[in-house]
Amino acid sequence: MTSIIINNFYRALLRIEEEEGFSKYNAKTLAVRLVDDLYPEDGYITLEDDPRGNFRIHMNDTFLDRMKADIAKGLSISDALDSHGLESDEKSKQVVTVPIAEPEPVKAADTKEIKVKEVKPKLTKEQKEAEKAAKAEKAAADKAAKEAKAKADAEAKAAKAKADAEAKAAKEAKAKADAEAKAAKASEDTSDEDIKKLKEAEPKKVAPPKPKFVGNMEKLTPTHDKLFKKVAADLKVEMAADAKKKFLAQVNALDNKDFNAKKLEEHMKAFFAPPPPETKEEECSPVEYKGKSYWVSGDGTVYETQIQEDGEEIDKNVGKVGMAYFADMEMPA
C-alpha cells in the first residue's frame, strides 16, 4: 500500500515538472498543488495501482483511529488497510483532513567579517627615496599636462572668439558699403529728407565682444584687495607695486580643482610665504648602534629616520660620530 501512495505522488510531481517546472513553487504552494492533484474532492485519496482495483478512500477520524490501533498492535499499514475490508467500488470511502503547516523561516547563519591586515615590507632608504621621487615626478607630469591642456583650450577658445568677431565686423562692413553704394546711386534723384532717412537706416557700429575670461580669478574686488593687504600686514611683508598682478598670475596658473581646494586667504598666505629651504642629498650608510638604526654620511653626520604627524618620513640630524651620545660609534667601512 505504501508503494502505491509513493507512485501516486511520483506521478503527480512528474506531471507538475513537465507542465511548468518547480521554479515558481515554494514548499507550501507545492504541497497545496499536490493536494489539489491527488485529492480532487476534499478528504479523498485514490489508489490506482492496488491489484484489487482502484480505491477511493474517505479518511475520517474514525478510520484513522482504527488504523493507529492496528499499527500499535504490530500490523503493517497494508495489513491494517486489509483488515478493514476495502472493496474496489465507489462506495468504500474514508475521509481525512490533511493539514498543511506553514514552513518555518530559515534563520541566516551569523556571519562575521574577518579583516586581514596587509603587512607591507619595510623599504630601504634608497627604495623610499626612489618611490618618493617617482611619485613627485608623476605628479609634476600630470600637473604640467593639465596646465598645457588648459592653456591650449584657452588659446583655441580665444582664437575662435577673435575669428567670430572678425567675421561679424566684415559682415557689418559689407552691409555698410552696400548701404552707402545704394545711397550714392539714389542721391541724384532723392531729396534731402530721403537722404536723411537713408543715413538713419544705416547699421550702427557695434564694438566687437570682449573675449571671455579663462582662468580662476580675473581681478581682485575691493573686498579681496582689503584681505590681500591684511594678509601682507599680518605676515609683515612689504607689498611690491606689481604684487596683485603677480598674485593673479599665480592663482590663474593653478588647476581649477587645486584653486578651489583652498580658501582665497590660504592662496594669499602661500603667495607671501618665503620659499622653502633647499634640501641637500648625501650618500649615507646604515649603522646599527645601541639597538637602533642610523644613517651616517661621509663627514660623520648621524641621521635618524623619523615619522611626522602627517605620515611623512624625514632624516633628522642627531649628532656626529665619536661625539657625545655617539662617542663609541665607528665610521662605516
Side-chain angles (χ1 to χ4, degrees), residues 122 125 128 132 292-295 302-319 326:
K122 187 174 181 181
K125 184 177 181 181
K128 291 177 184 177
K132 187 176 180 181
K292 293 182 69 176
S293 297
Y294 297 93
W295 297 90
V302 182
Y303 297 93
E304 181 182 2
T305 301
Q306 297 181 356
I307 300 176
Q308 303 301 300
E309 292 182 357
D310 59 358
E312 182 181 2
E313 294 184 355
I314 63 168
D315 295 322
K316 185 178 180 182
N317 184 340
V318 293
F326 302 100

Side-chain angles (χ1 to χ4, degrees), residues 6-237:
I6 291 173
N7 286 338
N8 287 339
F9 272 84
Y10 177 69
R11 280 197 298 271
L13 289 170
L14 281 179
R15 186 161 53 252
I16 294 172
E17 182 180 27
E18 291 174 356
E19 291 177 357
E20 50 193 326
F22 300 113
S23 60
K24 74 173 188 177
Y25 290 97
N26 56 30
K28 182 176 179 180
T29 57
L30 182 60
V32 171
R33 173 64 189 273
L34 287 172
V35 170
D36 290 342
D37 288 355
L38 294 173
Y39 316 133
E41 299 179 37
D42 291 342
Y44 287 89
I45 180 170
T46 301
L47 306 179
E48 300 176 350
D49 292 343
D50 192 279
R52 298 166 295 178
N54 295 338
F55 287 92
R56 296 178 73 253
I57 304 173
H58 198 195
M59 297 183 180
N60 57 15
D61 292 338
T62 303
F63 175 80
L64 292 176
D65 289 341
R66 289 202 307 270
M67 288 289 293
K68 290 178 182 178
D70 290 341
I71 293 171
K73 293 176 183 178
L75 294 177
S76 65
I77 295 177
S78 177
D79 293 338
L81 285 172
D82 291 339
S83 68
H84 297 300
L86 296 177
E87 297 179 359
S88 56
D89 56 22
E90 289 292 323
K91 297 179 181 180
S92 297
K93 298 179 181 178
Q94 301 295 334
V95 178
V96 65
T97 301
V98 181
I100 300 174
E102 288 285 346
E104 295 184 0
V106 180
K107 295 182 178 180
D110 294 336
T111 58
K112 292 183 178 179
E113 182 180 0
I114 300 175
K115 295 183 178 179
V116 180
K117 185 177 181 182
E118 181 181 358
V119 180
K120 296 183 177 180
K122 187 174 181 181
L123 303 177
T124 63
K125 184 177 181 181
E126 290 79 2
Q127 290 174 327
K128 291 177 184 177
E129 291 176 351
E131 184 178 353
K132 187 176 180 181
K135 288 182 180 178
E137 185 178 351
K138 184 178 183 301
D142 292 344
K143 184 177 179 181
K146 287 181 181 179
E147 291 174 353
K149 184 178 183 301
K151 184 178 179 181
D153 292 344
E155 291 176 352
K157 196 170 184 180
K160 185 178 183 301
K162 183 178 178 181
D164 292 344
E166 290 176 352
K168 185 176 181 181
K171 186 176 181 181
E172 291 174 353
K174 184 178 182 301
K176 181 180 178 181
D178 292 343
E180 289 175 350
K182 187 176 181 180
K185 184 178 180 181
S187 61
E188 296 178 357
D189 53 353
T190 56
S191 63
D192 294 339
E193 187 177 350
D194 293 334
I195 294 173
K196 185 178 179 181
K197 289 181 179 180
L198 287 173
K199 288 183 177 180
E200 289 177 353
E202 292 179 358
K204 295 181 180 180
K205 293 182 179 180
V206 179
K210 185 179 178 181
K212 187 177 179 182
F213 172 74
V214 178
N216 296 314
M217 195 172 195
E218 185 175 6
K219 63 181 180 178
L220 292 177
T221 65
T223 303
H224 295 158
D225 186 63
K226 186 177 179 181
L227 178 62
F228 192 68
K229 293 177 180 178
K230 180 180 179 301
V231 172
D234 291 344
L235 297 176
K236 297 180 180 179
V237 177

Side-chain angles (χ1 to χ4, degrees), residues 217 220 224 228 242-254 259 263-272:
M217 195 172 195
L220 292 177
H224 295 158
F228 192 68
D242 60 346
K244 298 176 184 178
K245 184 177 179 181
K246 289 182 178 180
F247 173 71
L248 289 173
Q250 179 174 306
V251 295
N252 285 324
L254 295 174
F259 175 75
K263 294 181 178 179
L264 183 60
E265 184 177 357
E266 296 299 323
H267 288 296
M268 292 179 179
K269 290 180 180 179
F271 173 74
F272 288 119

